[in-house]
């Protein structure tokens, strides 16, 4: 009826479909678990206020300070 290569291809596609459905089901279960955790402990995962009122990180502050030093050097006439 079918050639062996066709049978193998059909079996492979069916197997791939089963694996894909299993992974999708597991992913949805994991997302449901995380949603339940968020609902049970909202304060653990969400902060009411950011660490810094302006939301500036340390890296951004260091970058701003470096730029300020360069501008001050330019204003003072120092050659960088």
């Amino acid at each position: 009826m079918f050639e062996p290569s066709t049978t193998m291809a059909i079996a492979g596609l069916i197997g791939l479909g089963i694996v894909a459905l299993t992974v999708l089901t597991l992913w949805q279960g994991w997302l449901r678990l995380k949603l339940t955790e968020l609902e049970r402990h909202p304060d653990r995962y969400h902060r009411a206020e950011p660490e810094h009122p302006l939301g500036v990180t340390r890296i951004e502050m260091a970058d701003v300070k470096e730029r300020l030093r360069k501008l001050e050097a330019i204003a003072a006439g120092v050659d960088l």
Side-chain angles (χ1 to χ4, degrees):
M1 180 185 264
F2 290 115
E3 290 193 27
S5 60
T6 306
T7 306
M8 291 295 292
I10 291 171
L13 285 175
I14 290 172
L16 183 62
I18 291 170
V19 169
L21 281 173
T22 304
V23 169
L24 180 61
T25 303
L26 291 173
W27 176 252
Q28 289 174 344
W30 185 82
L31 288 176
R32 211 173 302 121
L33 172 69
K34 291 300 173 182
L35 182 61
T36 304
E37 287 179 2
L38 284 172
E39 289 171 352
R40 287 186 183 175
H41 307 287
D43 56 334
R44 184 183 298 177
Y45 300 101
H46 298 292
R47 292 187 179 162
E49 298 177 14
E51 290 181 15
H52 191 278
L54 299 177
V56 179
T57 63
R58 291 183 185 185
I59 295 173
E60 290 172 342
M61 283 302 296
D63 187 39
V64 168
K65 288 179 182 178
E66 180 65 29
R67 289 182 184 183
L68 181 62
R69 276 189 230 116
K70 287 180 180 180
L71 288 173
E72 288 174 343
I74 291 171
V78 177
D79 190 21
L80 300 175

